[in-house]
Amino acid sequence: MEIDVLRHIALSYSPMVDRNRAVVATRLTVSALKPGSALQADELLQAIAQVWPEGGARVSLNIMSETLLNDLMRAKPLPNVMIEVPSFIASDPANIPVMEQLRANGNTLLLHGRPASSLPREVLPCFKYSIIDLHDDRRKNEAPGHSEPGVTRSIGFIQSGVRTIAEMEASFGRGALAILGWPIEDVISTAGVKAGQPDMGVLVELIRRVDAGEDVDKLDAVLKRDPTLAFQLMRYINSPAFGLSVEISSFRHAIMLLGYKRLKRWLALLLATASKDANMRPVMFASVRRGIFMEQLVGPSGSEEMRGEVFICGVFSLLDRLFHKPFDELLKTIPVPEAVYQALVDASGPYQPYLELARAVETETAPVINEHAEHLLMSLAETNRAVLATLTSAGQLE
């Protein structure tokens, strides 16, 4: 069924990451293509419920339209839907009853931004967390173990606007429960070559051998060098997202059912998620979602071969950072299709626009996302459906 609201908004997503570098929720940002346009909150909640059903994982809604947010707060969202409420809306006494009702419904409310004046007393219990942008954080320069005079926080806070590892560590040092987004570029530049390299080496060798069509026994012998990797592979292949009707109990069984092309796809996925460095977990999160999203964009209009290639393109799009090598050097050892090579090495070719759109939905708002979608002759509705399908599939892999 067509959901009309998806034609008038752009969806983008980012992780909510705790101090253990675990992704504890997804932040879904909803931007209106035309500010002030009438949008159906119940339709948006219907679309969201397909990805985050009642009793499932949590999603934090960052609604950029005041009208849509006001309507959504009154539309009875599921309890696992967290709602970010800007301070100016929270300060309005007219909104007290609806915020109290949301709290009674089990929804978590997050106060977004520092209020210009004290909130009404009745409102304070409605908020479990606050979202404080690093730029506006009055405690950002305090020394560890010391509190800034006159700055007290009665509820836990989540930090946004973090751009570097140092800022992230400082935020957690000040007591942040989580950060929004992830400083991918800085994580990669400061990580160094750490644990996880043996896994990656085995995976690269497996991909080479699969690409060459070597005998199953030779592939099995390589995999047995890393039992942890073998477990990971079985876990992914047996996940609901893979869509198999029987449980796969061995690597040989996997190859018999899957064939080499499909196996190579999942080895590529594991290659992007092999690092044991905790700071790399959100980078892996981004890689997997890029691959799934690009595959969803191609959809039924693309051939099976094209869907597989754009998936690998997205999953591999951060490998240069994970391996600390430029793509032109890295892809000498990892065989990829020519169109994937063009996108990753030369920022050109037929898959480059899909990769640009994948990057846009991680950080940008409606006009930018719409511009990239139009370049691919895609509508916002098609793009949004791909975003929601991506988050559904990615959730099944976790």
Side-chain angles (χ1 to χ4, degrees):
M1 182 178 69
E2 183 69 31
I3 299 178
D4 185 68
V5 72
L6 297 181
R7 297 192 298 114
H8 307 290
I9 61 174
L11 301 177
S12 56
Y13 57 83
S14 59
M16 184 181 290
V17 182
D18 70 8
R19 62 177 60 249
N20 296 318
R21 282 44 166 183
V23 177
V24 294
T26 297
R27 185 195 208 191
L28 189 70
T29 296
V30 182
S31 306
L33 185 59
K34 296 180 180 179
S37 57
L39 301 169
Q40 296 297 315
D42 57 342
E43 290 186 355
L44 176 61
L45 289 175
Q46 177 187 344
I48 289 169
Q50 294 175 10
V51 184
W52 295 277
E54 186 169 8
R58 297 191 299 170
V59 58
S60 182
L61 296 186
N62 177 32
I63 309 294
M64 305 298 287
S65 162
E66 181 180 350
T67 302
L68 179 59
L69 176 58
N70 278 314
D71 290 346
L72 185 140
M73 290 171 64
R74 291 162 172 79
K76 297 183 180 180
L78 294 176
N80 57 319
V81 174
M82 302 187 291
I83 302 173
E84 301 178 22
V85 182
S87 57
F88 73 90
I89 290 181
S91 300
D92 186 346
N95 292 320
I96 292 175
V98 69
M99 288 186 286
E100 290 178 332
Q101 182 58 50
L102 285 166
R103 181 193 181 204
N105 187 49
N107 296 103
T108 297
L109 298 185
L110 299 89
L111 178 64
H112 196 169
R114 190 169 69 236
S117 58
S118 298
L119 293 178
R121 182 177 300 177
E122 305 94 321
V123 168
L124 291 175
C126 295
F127 290 97
K128 189 170 184 178
Y129 309 113
S130 62
I131 296 176
I132 301 175
D133 192 83
L134 183 60
H135 179 74
D136 298 324
D137 191 347
R138 291 178 290 174
R139 292 179 53 190
K140 64 183 176 183
N141 296 319
E142 71 181 24
H146 295 78
S147 296
E148 195 73 18
V151 181
T152 59
R153 288 173 181 156
S154 57
I155 59 176
F157 78 99
I158 295 166
Q159 195 97 73
S160 61
V162 172
R163 298 289 180 264
T164 68
I165 291 294
E167 291 175 350
M168 176 194 70
E169 296 290 1
S171 294
F172 286 132
R174 290 191 301 275
L177 300 174
I179 64 169
L180 288 172
W182 191 252
I184 287 179
E185 296 298 328
D186 193 55
V187 167
I188 291 165
S189 65
T190 60
V193 179
K194 295 188 177 181
Q197 295 303 319
D199 289 357
M200 291 183 178
V202 171
L203 275 165
V204 169
E205 184 174 349
L206 274 172
I207 289 174
R208 283 197 204 127
R209 290 176 181 264
V210 169
D211 196 62
E214 291 195 6
D215 184 79
V216 175
D217 290 334
K218 292 183 179 179
L219 301 179
D220 198 30
V222 174
L223 188 67
K224 286 177 179 176
R225 284 163 33 193
D226 195 326
T228 301
L229 180 58
F231 171 80
Q232 284 180 296
L233 181 60
M234 293 303 106
R235 176 174 173 267
Y236 276 114
I237 292 177
N238 283 309
S239 70
F242 208 78
L244 294 178
S245 58
V246 297
E247 182 175 342
I248 292 180
S249 57
S250 69
F251 187 56
R252 178 184 291 277
H253 188 199
I255 296 175
M256 288 173 57
L257 285 180
L258 304 175
Y260 279 41
K261 283 188 177 180
R262 205 170 181 198
L263 178 62
K264 184 179 176 181
R265 162 199 170 98
W266 289 94
L267 289 173
L269 176 62
L270 287 175
L271 181 60
T273 59
S275 175
K276 297 183 179 71
D277 182 0
N279 277 343
M280 286 296 177
R281 289 175 191 161
V283 179
M284 301 170 192
F285 177 100
S287 297
V288 173
R289 278 150 186 76
R290 282 187 187 181
I292 297 174
F293 178 64
M294 290 174 66
E295 183 182 35
Q296 291 292 338
L297 288 175
V298 171
S301 62
S303 65
E304 181 180 354
E305 181 179 17
M306 184 181 181
R307 291 196 299 272
E309 289 184 2
V310 295
F311 173 85
I312 289 175
C313 185
V315 167
F316 277 11
S317 63
L318 290 170
L319 275 192
D320 59 332
R321 319 298 175 53
L322 289 168
F323 276 89
H324 305 281
K325 293 181 179 180
F327 273 120
D328 58 350
E329 180 181 344
L330 185 62
L331 297 185
K332 290 177 182 176
T333 61
I334 304 174
V336 296
E338 178 62 24
V340 175
Y341 184 94
Q342 290 173 340
L344 299 180
V345 177
D346 303 323
S348 65
Y351 298 158
Q352 179 62 18
Y354 294 97
L355 183 56
E356 290 298 327
L357 181 53
R359 289 171 176 148
V361 299
E362 295 170 3
T363 57
E364 303 292 354
T365 52
V368 178
I369 294 172
N370 189 51
E371 179 182 349
H372 286 293
E374 286 182 341
H375 186 66
L376 286 167
L377 302 179
M378 297 186 68
S379 67
L380 275 177
E382 291 173 305
T383 305
N384 290 327
R385 284 196 294 269
V387 168
L388 295 172
T390 295
L391 295 173
T392 300
S393 296
Q396 293 173 340
L397 287 173
E398 296 169 350

